[in-house]
Every structure is written in C-alpha cells, then in structure tokens.
Amino acid sequence: MTHSLAPKGTRASARVLGTLHAEGTSGVVRLQDRYDTGPADLWDALTDPARLARWLGEVHGDLRVGGEFEAHFLASGWEGTGHVEECDPPHRLRVSTRSPDQPDGILEVTLTPDGDGTVLVLEDRGVPLEQVAAYGAGDQIHLEDLASYLAGGGRCEPRSRWQQLHGLYERLPVTPADGA
C-alpha cells in the first residue's frame, strides 16, 4: 500500500488509512501507510524539528528519551506539550502528550522497512471515544501532509480535507483495541 498523491476528486483521495478502536472509555486511532523512502529518511522527517516544521508544525524542546517539548501542529491546530517516553531510531517513537481541555494521550510511531520503502504505523491512544472519528481524520491529514512533503509538495487545505475524511471515518466501526 504505497501512499500516492492523487489529483483531487479521484478515488484515491477518499482512501482511509485508519481503523478506530475502543480501549475502556478511551478511543484509539491506528493508521498505516507505506512511504517510498527508507526508514532513516522517514525517521529524520519525524524527529528533526526543521523538517517537522515543513509538514507538521513547530516543535521546540528536547526530543531525546526523557525530554520535554512544546508543539503546535498546523493542520489540526493542536497545541500542547510532550514527553519522549521511548526513542529507538529508526524504528519506534513513543511520546505522551498533554494539551489544555483535552485528555492526555500517547502517540506511538513504528517504522518497518519494506523493500525500498517504509511502512509507518501510527497509534494515537487516549482520545475521547466520542471523538475518535475526528481524531482519525486529523491524524490522517498529518500523515498525508508528511507524504506530500516527502514527494516535494506542500500541506493540504486542512478544513475541507478534514470534512471529507471525517465523514468517511464516521462510517467506520469502532472495534475493541485488542483487535488492533
């Protein structure tokens, strides 16, 4: 499953990368996609603040294990702080997040080599169960912006893209997280 940037209005633009899960009273969004770059390059795009600024937003602080950072994600508008729980380059990154008026969360990214590309799995845990579809749409926009950046493009127009994806995510079943 290679991420391709299809022209607007084509079938690929409606592709859903995620699944939605319930874990107790919280939601879990799990997204998976394949990128046409090696794990080291993809890892660098996920952890280098200068590269993050080109596709995700501003990240300031210490991105090593135990480090704290502040972030503002452009497409979703998320602002908050994070703590690096685990960092195993170029395979696994796990951060806990905290943001005003939102529950604390865990973002975990796993990278797996796949031929000349890399499969990325993102799990967003601790999201409000009643908003799991909205988080799914927002998380997918971030991953699509990553793919566009890696292909030399820019970020999408997030409002219209979120509306399109949110409708698709609302139709997905929410399954127990054990099946994730």
Side-chain angles (χ1 to χ4, degrees):
M1 122 174 75
T2 298
H3 200 300
S4 61
L5 298 175
K8 287 184 180 179
T10 65
R11 186 166 231 182
S13 67
R15 189 169 69 110
V16 173
L17 303 176
T19 55
L20 307 177
H21 307 277
E23 189 171 65
T25 59
S26 296
V28 177
V29 176
R30 184 180 192 279
L31 294 103
Q32 179 175 323
D33 205 2
R34 184 183 186 283
Y35 294 82
D36 291 329
T37 191
D41 182 53
L42 189 53
W43 181 265
D44 193 52
L46 294 167
T47 59
D48 178 334
R51 291 186 73 186
L52 283 166
R54 294 185 196 130
W55 67 271
L56 183 62
E58 300 171 11
V59 178
H60 303 284
D62 185 358
L63 298 178
R64 294 175 295 178
V65 173
E68 304 283 334
F69 63 90
E70 295 179 356
H72 174 230
F73 297 171
L74 298 172
S76 64
W78 182 87
E79 288 189 49
T81 60
H83 177 82
V84 180
E85 305 283 338
E86 185 177 341
C87 184
D88 178 21
H91 308 289
R92 190 164 184 254
L93 178 67
R94 179 182 160 116
V95 298
S96 57
T97 60
R98 180 167 272 180
S99 180
D101 303 321
Q102 294 182 21
D104 294 352
I106 297 286
L107 290 173
E108 187 171 327
V109 175
T110 305
L111 304 180
T112 306
D114 184 43
D116 60 353
T118 306
V119 173
L120 178 148
V121 174
L122 168 74
E123 286 193 0
D124 190 351
R125 296 184 171 281
V127 305
L129 193 53
E130 66 278 3
Q131 295 177 7
V132 71
Y135 277 77
D139 288 342
Q140 180 164 331
I141 290 169
H142 292 308
L143 292 187
E144 289 178 356
D145 283 348
L146 170 60
S148 178
Y149 160 70
L150 291 169
R155 292 186 294 267
C156 73
E157 195 293 299
R159 181 165 290 174
S160 62
R161 185 64 178 142
W162 185 87
Q163 289 173 343
Q164 179 188 32
L165 287 170
H166 186 246
L168 297 171
Y169 274 92
E170 283 185 310
R171 293 185 202 105
L172 292 180
V174 178
T175 61
D178 298 333

